[in-house]
Amino acid sequence: MTTRSITAEIPLAPRMAEDPAQLVPEVAEVSAALFKVVGNGSVPRPTISLVHLRAGQIVGSTYLTMLHTGFLRAAGQSEERITSVASWQDSPYFTGPERAALALVEAVLQPSTSGERVPDALYAEVAEHYEPKALATLMFAIGQVNFFTAAALIAKPVPGRAFTDPWK
């Protein structure tokens, strides 16, 4: 396995030449269903986007990080909130429910040295902020971004391109 120099420039083209959604059009139904589930209104849209942005940062996907940063900007979120997602633990710009959601996405996506990624104490803390339907929605929002993480990391769509046209 060869590694690239950290100073090498990254080409502004997707790694996978063809759009995976065009190659496997059945994915459109799955994607639409996930967006419908996550958009059921039980969790505020900005919270979903904050969770998705943090997930993109954790997995190291520039495409997902830029995509969700753009969604947050378009929704009128402040630059302070957007830029401090990476250090949310000591940022004053997030509510208790948002902090709980960010803690949950970190627990799910990062290995735990103590064994269980989502310990009972974290679950209980998140459940204090979210009714059962909202907690399930948050869980599926984390799953939604994980569903797209594989495409973002393997196919490498071009960062900054429209969500609907990352291969154009």
Side-chain angles (χ1 to χ4, degrees), residues 89-112:
Q89 297 90 340
D90 66 352
S91 170
Y93 301 109
F94 303 104
T95 66
E98 290 168 339
R99 290 176 175 286
L102 290 166
L104 188 61
V105 71
E106 284 195 2
V108 169
L109 294 180
Q110 294 177 332
S112 171

Side-chain angles (χ1 to χ4, degrees), residues 16 18-28 31 148 151 155 164 166-167:
M16 187 175 220
E18 295 174 88
D19 183 344
Q22 296 294 320
L23 296 170
V24 185
E26 298 85 356
V27 77
S31 177
F148 291 106
T164 55
W167 269 267

Side-chain angles (χ1 to χ4, degrees), residues 17-157:
E18 295 174 88
D19 183 344
Q22 296 294 320
L23 296 170
V24 185
E26 298 85 356
V27 77
E29 289 181 51
V30 175
S31 177
L34 286 170
F35 277 96
K36 185 175 180 181
V37 166
V38 171
N40 68 27
S42 65
V43 176
R45 188 68 222 173
T47 303
I48 299 291
S49 292
L50 290 169
V51 164
H52 286 171
L53 171 55
R54 186 65 188 125
Q57 292 170 339
I58 292 168
V59 301
S61 170
T62 301
Y63 176 76
L64 289 174
T65 300
M66 289 184 66
L67 177 69
H68 295 293
T69 296
F71 287 163
L72 285 160
R73 281 192 182 115
Q77 295 296 303
S78 72
E79 286 301 312
E80 291 84 3
R81 280 171 54 83
I82 295 168
T83 57
S84 66
V85 167
S87 58
W88 65 268
Q89 297 90 340
D90 66 352
S91 170
Y93 301 109
F94 303 104
T95 66
E98 290 168 339
R99 290 176 175 286
L102 290 166
L104 188 61
V105 71
E106 284 195 2
V108 169
L109 294 180
Q110 294 177 332
S112 171
T113 57
S114 63
E116 190 173 15
R117 288 188 186 205
V118 181
D120 291 341
L122 174 58
Y123 178 86
E125 185 176 346
V126 175
E128 286 179 24
H129 294 282
Y130 294 96
E131 298 294 325
K133 180 178 181 176
L135 181 52
T137 300
L138 187 57
M139 176 179 67
F140 292 126
I142 294 168
Q144 177 190 31
V145 77
N146 282 333
F147 179 82
F148 291 106
T149 295
L153 295 176
I154 296 168
K156 290 190 95 165

